[in-house]
Amino acid sequence: MDIRKDKRGFSLVELIITMAIMAIFAGAIIGAVGWINAGKTRKASAKLNNQISSIQTATMTQKGETYLYIYRTSKGIYSSSVSSNEDFNHDGTPDYPYGFKERSELNTYLSNGGGQTKLCDSSVVIKGKKNADGTGSTESVTLTENNMFKIGYSKGTGAFTYSNDGQLDAGGELKGVPFYTLIEMKGKEKFTIQLVKATGKHFIKED
C-alpha cells in the first residue's frame, strides 16, 4: 500500500495563530506574577500595621516598653517585638532599658535565638519618611541590611516615641531625633503606614 505522507510545514496563518496563543499565555503568566507580588506588599503592610497595634497594647498593659524593630536581611524583611524589660543575660536587670539603639545590638539578640516574623521577601523596598523642614517636604531613609527601623510608644501617654533608626539624644532624650511619620512599602504596588506622633494612631494608605 502506498501511504503518502504530508510533508507540508506550517502555513503563515498557522504560525501567526500559534504566536498569538503563546503571547496570550505569556501575558497571563506576567499578570499573575504581578498580582502575587502586589498581594505580598498588601499583606506585609497589613501585618506590620497590626504589629504596631500589638506593641502599643503591650506597652500600655505590661511591664516595661515593647519596641518593634523592622529590618532587612539577605532572605527578606523581618520584624521583632522586644520588651525593654527583658533580661537576656539573666543577671536580674534589663540589658537594654531604652531598647536597641544600634543594628549590631539587634543582630546579637537575633543570633542568640531572638524571635522574628517575616513580613515579605527582599523585592519590597521600605522607606521611612520624615518631615524635613516643616514645609511639607520630606526626607527618606531606605531600610538596608545595615540599619533598622524602631517603633515605640510612651507608656504614660500612648503617643509614639520612636519611629526612627533607634537614635537617642544625649541623656536618653527623644526631643531632637528624627521621627518617621510615614513607613512606605513599595513592590508592584505601594502602601504607606502613616503614624500620628501625638496620638499614637496609625493607618494604611494605598498610593
Side-chain angles (χ1 to χ4, degrees):
M1 180 183 294
D2 182 16
I3 300 176
R4 297 183 179 180
K5 296 182 180 179
D6 188 352
K7 297 182 180 181
R8 293 177 300 171
F10 283 107
S11 68
L12 180 59
V13 173
E14 290 170 332
L15 183 59
I16 291 173
I17 293 173
T18 301
M19 292 178 65
I21 293 172
M22 292 176 64
I24 292 171
F25 278 120
I29 292 171
I30 293 172
V33 171
W35 182 85
I36 291 171
N37 287 336
K40 288 179 181 178
T41 311
R42 183 186 300 273
K43 289 179 181 178
S45 62
K47 185 181 293 185
L48 179 57
N49 196 52
N50 289 336
Q51 290 177 341
I52 295 172
S53 296
S54 295
I55 65 162
Q56 183 184 35
T57 300
T59 294
M60 300 300 290
T61 60
Q62 300 174 14
K63 192 174 181 179
E65 288 85 22
T66 299
Y67 300 110
L68 181 66
Y69 301 91
I70 309 161
Y71 50 96
R72 178 185 291 274
T73 73
S74 59
K75 296 181 179 179
I77 297 169
Y78 294 81
S79 64
S80 291
S81 299
V82 186
S83 172
S84 65
N85 193 56
E86 291 193 45
D87 176 14
F88 304 115
N89 292 322
H90 308 291
D91 61 358
T93 59
D95 296 307
Y96 299 95
Y98 294 106
F100 305 134
K101 302 176 187 178
E102 306 288 343
R103 176 65 187 264
S104 59
E105 296 172 340
L106 173 62
N107 289 344
T108 299
Y109 163 77
L110 295 171
S111 65
N112 290 328
Q116 61 181 355
T117 300
K118 187 170 185 178
L119 294 173
C120 52
D121 61 33
S122 57
S123 65
V124 176
V125 176
I126 296 186
K127 293 182 179 181
K129 294 189 172 184
K130 61 181 182 294
N131 190 288
D133 53 14
T135 63
S137 62
T138 57
E139 294 178 355
S140 63
V141 177
T142 302
L143 188 67
T144 71
E145 293 186 29
N146 298 316
N147 63 3
M148 65 182 184
F149 292 167
K150 176 181 180 180
I151 298 176
Y153 281 92
S154 166
K155 196 172 187 68
T157 66
F160 283 108
T161 51
Y162 285 98
S163 177
N164 62 8
D165 58 0
Q167 293 184 56
L168 282 172
D169 285 336
E173 297 294 328
L174 287 161
K175 295 178 181 177
V177 300
F179 183 88
Y180 304 152
T181 57
L182 302 173
I183 305 295
E184 179 186 282
M185 309 181 73
K186 187 174 182 181
K188 290 293 183 180
E189 295 181 336
K190 184 170 70 174
F191 296 87
T192 301
I193 300 176
Q194 183 165 344
L195 310 180
V196 183
K197 185 176 183 180
T199 64
K201 293 183 179 180
H202 53 97
F203 53 90
I204 300 174
K205 299 190 303 179
E206 182 176 359
D207 299 324

